[in-house]
Amino acid sequence: MTAVPRPMHLAVLCPGADDAAVPADPRSAGRIDFAFFERLARTAERGLFDFLLLTGGELLTGGEGLCPPEHGERGDSPDPVGRPEPITLLSALAAVTERLGLAATAAPAVNEPYELARRLASLDHLSGGRAAWHVATAADPRAGENFRRDGPSGRADRYAHAEEFVRAARRLWDSWTPDGVPRRLAHSGRHFTIAGEFTVPRSPQGHPVVIHAGDSADAREFAASAADVLVTRHGPPAAGTSRAAGPDAHPVAHDRSPGGLRVLRKAAFVLGSGDAEAQERAAEIRRQRISPQCAIRALERIWGRDLSAYDPDGPLPAIDPGPAAAPGAGGPSGTAARWRALAEAKGLSIRQTVIETSGRQSFIGTPRAVADAMADSVARGAADGFVLAPSPAPGGLDDFVAQVVPLLQERGVFRPRYTGATLRSHLGLPEPVWNG
């Protein structure tokens, strides 16, 4: 008997203006212009995508874009156009789309449970059940300067703070009964004390979909306990490897039903009429991603020093990494040593070295080759689907929708039409049980 293909889930990443991973389309009006977002959202909905995810920076390490991407006191931000507030923008996109899920990034470190839960529930009502919340735990510490407060300090404290924040938000969403009766809420925890009444009725999905992005054991553990979707650079590991290794390996430990968490890989793609053309396009996109300024920033993250005086087209620094260097940068087998060896062997400048070592696109080739590789990845259980970073944005998504989506549908791994109205229906997730 022929096995039924696993359904594939697709989302699109709409990053902050400074995200070098997704270069801007020169034909777009700019990333503060509504037309930029509208075009991306309409294209994603035409392609029957599950949701659009709006971030304030790089998905797996960034927050919601509450401060400019400066380095130290130099003030050399590469963000010349600013960033709109995500839930406001998604509320506007709800009016020009009908089925596409709308996911906003918001960091617990710089928000309050009541206020954020209210805005997300409002978006869920306004969109007819299409709202989602990407919980960002890696907020830039400088963002706290805009709020006259410090966020949680250590990594463990950030996750404990975020877990209580999500738990409080879910209690607020459950404080109205399914038949529309409000009830008083009392929450007292380590980080938050809430006593009062929520002003928004239970939303069309019960709760907005909760998303978390990360590769660490802490990120996977948090997703397993608090999220509906995990976004990762890698798929889930084999079940049983360890309790914290992957969310699907231990759903019972968090009172989760099997299949109650979707795991999506962040992926980039490059299409061409043949493999050689696709590879050349991929190389050109990598060159576009790494401007001279970005190359120096990348070098500074590795070396842990101010290297603004260095020429991006000159050789790598002869000095060793400083105390603030990235983990594993120093020593004879560290990143800096490997970069020096590569640069010397190939005669590379700083910028050329950063380009050479930057992340490669996930899928490169003809539309059919890309469709086959994506389908095979899902069939093997590497992930339930992908969050795609189009290059350039927003126009890079047009070719994927026109050329790859029909081939995925032909293979029977992607929906031919939307069958439900809510984001939970797209993802195949149950409505949360009311716990009022």
Side-chain angles (χ1 to χ4, degrees), residues 126-397:
L126 292 172
S127 65
R130 297 185 282 137
W133 169 25
H134 167 222
V135 183
T137 56
D140 190 316
R142 291 178 298 107
E145 298 173 7
N146 292 337
F147 295 86
R148 292 188 298 177
R149 67 165 121 166
D150 295 324
S153 54
R155 183 182 186 86
D157 193 41
R158 289 203 310 270
Y159 273 102
H161 179 272
E163 188 279 330
E164 185 182 341
F165 193 111
V166 174
R167 182 156 37 92
R170 291 191 185 278
R171 292 193 65 190
L172 287 161
W173 293 328
D174 277 343
S175 64
W176 283 64
T177 67
D179 55 354
V181 178
R183 296 185 176 187
R184 288 189 62 81
L185 170 73
H187 172 89
S188 181
R190 176 187 169 194
H191 300 281
F192 306 104
T193 299
I194 304 170
E197 293 186 5
F198 198 51
T199 58
V200 184
R202 189 170 174 83
S203 68
Q205 296 185 103
H207 300 172
V209 170
V210 176
I211 301 168
H212 184 57
D215 288 315
S216 68
D218 288 337
R220 290 173 177 269
E221 187 73 15
F222 176 79
S225 64
D228 302 298
V229 177
L230 170 66
V231 181
T232 175
R233 290 189 182 93
H234 314 288
T241 53
S242 74
R243 185 179 184 277
D248 286 346
H250 53 93
V252 177
H254 295 288
D255 195 25
R256 301 286 292 272
S257 60
L261 182 69
R262 298 288 173 262
V263 180
L264 306 183
R265 278 179 54 202
K266 182 187 175 185
F269 62 91
V270 180
L271 304 177
S273 59
D275 184 67
E277 180 182 273
Q279 292 292 343
E280 178 53 38
R281 285 184 178 178
E284 177 59 28
I285 288 170
R286 290 196 296 272
R287 288 191 289 269
Q288 292 174 352
R289 284 178 54 198
I290 309 299
S291 67
Q293 185 183 45
C294 288
I296 294 298
R297 288 178 180 279
L299 198 69
E300 289 174 333
R301 285 194 292 270
I302 299 298
W303 258 256
R305 298 176 181 275
D306 181 349
L307 302 175
S308 57
Y310 279 75
D311 180 0
D313 295 319
L316 268 66
I319 57 175
D320 292 328
S333 61
T335 304
R338 294 196 301 272
W339 280 26
R340 283 198 186 106
L342 175 66
E344 183 177 350
K346 295 190 174 184
L348 303 178
S349 66
I350 290 174
R351 184 181 178 210
Q352 289 169 333
T353 302
V354 175
I355 292 171
E356 184 74 14
T357 57
S358 64
R360 296 295 195 263
Q361 294 88 347
S362 308
F363 301 105
I364 304 172
T366 65
R368 186 164 295 279
V370 168
D372 289 346
M374 294 177 70
D376 290 346
S377 181
V378 171
R380 293 195 313 270
D384 295 309
F386 305 93
V387 177
L388 298 178
S391 297
L397 192 63

Side-chain angles (χ1 to χ4, degrees), residues 13-38 40 54-58 78-86 89 93 285 288-289 389-396:
L13 175 65
C14 187
D18 66 307
D19 189 353
V22 186
D25 189 331
R27 295 169 294 177
S28 68
R31 292 185 178 174
I32 196 66
D33 192 295
F34 182 69
F36 171 91
F37 303 99
E38 181 181 12
L40 192 66
L54 183 66
T55 76
E58 211 287 322
D79 188 354
V81 297
R83 313 180 202 181
E85 194 282 317
L89 173 60
L93 290 176
I285 288 170
Q288 292 174 352
R289 284 178 54 198
S391 297

Side-chain angles (χ1 to χ4, degrees), residues 34 37-38 41-42 52 54 84-98 100-105 115-132:
F34 182 69
F37 303 99
E38 181 181 12
R42 288 186 182 275
L52 177 149
L54 183 66
E85 194 282 317
I87 296 178
T88 302
L89 173 60
L90 294 177
S91 297
L93 290 176
V96 297
T97 56
E98 296 180 356
L100 182 69
L102 304 167
T105 297
E115 189 269 342
L116 181 58
R118 182 169 181 256
R119 286 192 289 143
L120 288 164
S122 299
L123 176 61
D124 208 43
H125 277 284
L126 292 172
S127 65
R130 297 185 282 137

